[in-house]
Amino acid sequence: MNYYVMTLFPELIEKGMHTGVLYRAMEEKLLSLECFHIREYTVNRHKRVDDYTYGGGAGMLMACQPIYDCYRAVETRRRLRAWEQGRKEKPAHVIYMSPQGRVFTQSVAEELSREEELIFLCGHYEGIDERVLEEVVTDTISIGDYVLTGGELPALVVMDSISRLIPGVLNNDVSAETESFTDGLLEYPQYTRPEEWMGKKVPEVLLSGHHAKVEAWRLEQSLLRTKERRPDLYEKYLEERT
Ligand code: SAM
């Protein structure tokens, strides 16, 4: 997976992605990241990328020109890479991170993890002039019903979640399959050594070595936990099975 991120804070994206599992995946060329600093593309002599909003109102808006020129630079780079690697260039999703978008879920992560390249656009201030969004954006994604100051943390959330679904990124591919949301349920409780800690014992069944019993216990716990913590998911799970 190749990520291209258009941002006013490339250092934030780079720091966020150059840690732990994702860093190793980049070293192993399973992932790549290229940040494009929107400010470098402005023609404004004071390097401004924002302006007042027509019709009044508080706050500034990111203007069309720097974003459009930045996007064109991303497309040029993608074309060059495709040519260098001897592959055909394909159109890529251009994802604008916005509280007004489709809410990000595990199934959206799964859908996007099947792409080879993704382009992210991170907004700031009051957001971005609608005209450039109409021109370049293919998908608008929100990470939840709250408002942040910028699109960088949302883009990192989305990239992190997609990256761990890419084969080879996690050491153990099975762990992504059993995790919360994968089958519509929350994951069961888990334990590691010691067998007893502060008087609390690991459930007997997990020490039994009886695979079928362990699986049955885990499913029961997943159901109980989902019913208690996420009744909405529990109802959906039951509906899909009737
Ligand atoms: N005025 C915009 C509105 O009411 O929809 C909010 C702009 S927000 C202050 C600035 C930027 O942060 C947005 O352009 C977007 O890139 C990002 N952002 C804020 N909250 C977000 C969320 N929940 N999901 C994704 N991106 C978000």
Side-chain angles (χ1 to χ4, degrees), residues 137-157:
V137 170
T138 62
D139 304 63
T140 305
I141 292 182
S142 164
I143 60 160
D145 291 346
Y146 42 83
V147 179
L148 299 163
T149 56
E152 285 74 16
L153 292 176
L156 282 169
V157 166

Side-chain angles (χ1 to χ4, degrees), residues 205-220:
V205 62
L206 299 179
L207 310 173
S208 68
H210 195 300
H211 188 66
K213 280 190 185 160
V214 170
E215 286 308 303
W217 181 87
R218 285 180 166 168
L219 176 61
E220 184 189 44

Side-chain angles (χ1 to χ4, degrees), residues 163-180:
S163 300
R164 56 201 305 290
L165 298 174
I166 292 167
V169 170
L170 294 185
N171 285 330
N172 176 5
D173 283 348
V174 177
S175 73
E177 280 166 25
T178 61
E179 270 169 335
S180 297

Side-chain angles (χ1 to χ4, degrees), residues 1-4 25-26 29-33 81 109 111-120 159 162-163 166 169:
M1 171 69 76
N2 301 324
Y3 296 121
Y4 301 87
M26 281 201 260
K29 310 262 183 277
L30 296 167
L31 303 175
S32 78
L33 169 71
R81 273 184 87 170
E111 185 187 309
L112 293 174
S113 71
R114 292 191 277 273
E115 299 295 322
E116 283 172 22
E117 303 196 291
L118 291 172
I119 304 170
F120 289 89
M159 287 191 286
I162 292 171
S163 300
I166 292 167
V169 170

Side-chain angles (χ1 to χ4, degrees), residues 12-230:
L12 177 53
I13 298 286
E14 273 154 13
K15 282 216 175 89
M17 290 292 284
H18 282 89
T19 48
V21 167
L22 301 186
Y23 177 72
R24 186 180 53 81
M26 281 201 260
E27 290 283 291
E28 290 172 8
K29 310 262 183 277
L30 296 167
L31 303 175
S32 78
L33 169 71
E34 289 189 49
C35 289
F36 288 72
H37 194 339
I38 296 170
R39 202 174 294 285
E40 285 176 9
Y41 296 90
T42 181
V43 293
N44 179 283
R45 63 194 167 97
H46 303 294
K47 288 277 171 204
R48 277 185 62 174
V49 293
D50 59 329
D51 216 325
Y52 294 100
T53 316
Y54 280 117
M60 308 294 276
L61 207 60
M62 287 175 77
C64 295
Q65 178 276 317
I67 292 177
Y68 190 65
D69 286 2
C70 182
Y71 166 70
R72 283 168 45 135
V74 172
E75 287 298 351
T76 303
R77 175 70 185 133
R78 286 204 321 117
R79 215 167 299 132
L80 183 69
R81 273 184 87 170
W83 178 77
E84 279 170 357
Q85 294 166 3
R87 59 180 166 83
K88 207 160 168 255
E89 192 209 344
K90 285 200 258 169
H93 290 256
V94 181
I95 302 169
Y96 173 43
M97 301 311 307
S98 162
Q100 299 179 24
R102 169 161 76 135
V103 177
F104 189 63
T105 60
Q106 190 67 18
S107 66
V108 179
E110 278 159 20
E111 185 187 309
L112 293 174
S113 71
R114 292 191 277 273
E115 299 295 322
E116 283 172 22
E117 303 196 291
L118 291 172
I119 304 170
F120 289 89
L121 170 59
C122 306
H124 263 272
Y125 317 116
E126 279 309 302
I128 297 180
D129 188 311
E130 196 66 24
R131 293 166 296 180
V132 71
L133 296 177
E134 286 167 7
E135 203 58 40
V136 307
V137 170
T138 62
D139 304 63
T140 305
I141 292 182
S142 164
I143 60 160
D145 291 346
Y146 42 83
V147 179
L148 299 163
T149 56
E152 285 74 16
L153 292 176
L156 282 169
V157 166
V158 171
M159 287 191 286
D160 185 300
S161 167
I162 292 171
S163 300
R164 56 201 305 290
L165 298 174
I166 292 167
V169 170
L170 294 185
N171 285 330
N172 176 5
D173 283 348
V174 177
S175 73
E177 280 166 25
T178 61
E179 270 169 335
S180 297
F181 309 115
T182 307
D183 58 1
L185 293 173
L186 302 182
E187 198 180 47
Y188 42 81
Q190 300 199 82
Y191 306 87
T192 185
R193 285 193 289 186
E195 270 180 45
E196 187 172 334
W197 180 78
M198 302 249 287
K200 292 169 187 275
K201 289 188 177 153
V202 172
E204 272 302 316
V205 62
L206 299 179
L207 310 173
S208 68
H210 195 300
H211 188 66
K213 280 190 185 160
V214 170
E215 286 308 303
W217 181 87
R218 285 180 166 168
L219 176 61
E220 184 189 44
Q221 292 297 316
S222 273
L223 288 164
L224 284 172
R225 181 161 278 201
T226 310
K227 188 175 178 189
E228 186 189 303
R229 297 184 183 181
R230 290 291 304 271

